[in-house]
């Protein structure tokens, strides 16, 4: 099947309002200069090499991605405990199952608040976010790593990052104007 014609191909991700870029086939690591490859143009993806993976640029897409790993610590358990501690349900948002059984939860980034990317923000949980300069990225659905696909597990709209989670992710970060007032409600 040609790239862009699958429900998780580049065209489908662009239709969700995501900015994407090509990753090498089988790879999670982005090539040097990847921010210059980011596009929202459906015509641009037709020139991508067949069989390549897809990167989703967080800053250009205006998203925050929670990467729940299942390596040494189960990020699902950690996030479940965070939700319980905040007395909030597991968020209903676009969710992708990763090649090794983890999950990527996609959220719309809050306006006027810097959400930084971080590795091991909590045990088993990485944050891919717009940050201050280039932002992070996620390996997108339709990609294959170690022979295993990234697939959409919960085909839902991308919801705004919940306020309680925004507060956890931005502790100690400066907020101004309406963004600061919004965080107190």
């Amino acid at each position: 099947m040609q790239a862009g014609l699958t429900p998780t191909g580049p065209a489908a991700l662009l239709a969700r309002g995501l900015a994407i870029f090509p990753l090498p086939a089988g790879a999670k690591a982005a090539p040097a200069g990847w921010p210059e490859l980011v596009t929202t143009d459906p015509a641009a993806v037709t020139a991508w090499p067949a069989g390549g993976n897809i990167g989703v640029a967080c800053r250009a897409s205006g998203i925050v991605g929670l990467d729940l790993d299942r390596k040494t610590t189960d990020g699902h358990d950690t996030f479940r405990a965070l939700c319980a501690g905040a007395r909030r349900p597991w968020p209903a948002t676009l969710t992708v199952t990763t090649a090794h059984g983890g999950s990527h939860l996609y959220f719309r980034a809050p306006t006027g608040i810097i959400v930084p990317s971080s590795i091991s923000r909590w045990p088993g949980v990485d944050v891919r976010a717009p940050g201050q300069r280039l932002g992070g990225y996620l390996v997108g659905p339709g990609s294959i790593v170690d022979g295993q696909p990234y697939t959409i597990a919960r085909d839902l709209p991308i919801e705004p990052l919940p306020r309680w989670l925004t507060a956890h992710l931005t502790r100690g970060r400066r907020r101004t104007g309406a963004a600061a007032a919004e965080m107190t409600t």
Side-chain angles (χ1 to χ4, degrees):
M1 199 176 259
Q2 185 180 3
L5 299 179
T6 64
T8 55
L13 297 176
L14 292 173
R16 290 179 184 270
L18 298 172
I20 60 175
F21 63 97
L23 290 173
K28 293 191 319 184
W34 69 265
E36 287 81 39
L37 302 174
V38 173
T39 188
T40 57
D41 180 5
V45 302
T46 61
W48 289 7
N53 283 346
I54 305 164
V56 178
C58 295
R59 185 177 192 81
S61 298
I63 63 164
V64 174
L66 292 187
D67 180 1
L68 310 181
D69 292 325
R70 285 196 154 148
K71 295 175 187 165
T72 56
T73 302
D74 190 333
H76 292 92
D77 291 342
T78 299
F79 190 64
R80 194 173 294 109
L82 283 169
C83 290
R87 297 185 179 160
R88 303 287 188 207
W90 188 282
T93 193
L94 176 65
T95 303
V96 173
T97 299
T98 68
H100 298 287
S103 295
H104 290 166
L105 279 65
Y106 285 66
F107 297 99
R108 293 279 168 218
T111 303
I113 299 172
I114 297 169
V115 180
S117 291
S118 63
I119 304 297
S120 297
R121 176 65 176 91
W122 298 289
V125 179
D126 298 334
V127 179
R128 309 294 183 214
Q132 292 184 357
R133 294 182 299 141
L134 297 177
Y137 70 92
L138 295 164
V139 176
S143 298
I144 298 175
V145 173
D146 296 332
Q148 300 298 315
Y150 281 63
T151 59
I152 293 178
R154 295 180 80 190
D155 193 359
L156 300 169
I158 300 172
E159 293 297 318
L161 186 66
R163 288 181 186 170
W164 70 268
L165 191 50
T166 300
H168 278 293
L169 293 174
T170 60
R171 284 206 175 114
R173 300 269 173 204
R174 226 173 103 184
R175 299 175 193 91
T176 58
E182 183 178 306
M183 293 305 297
T184 63
T185 59

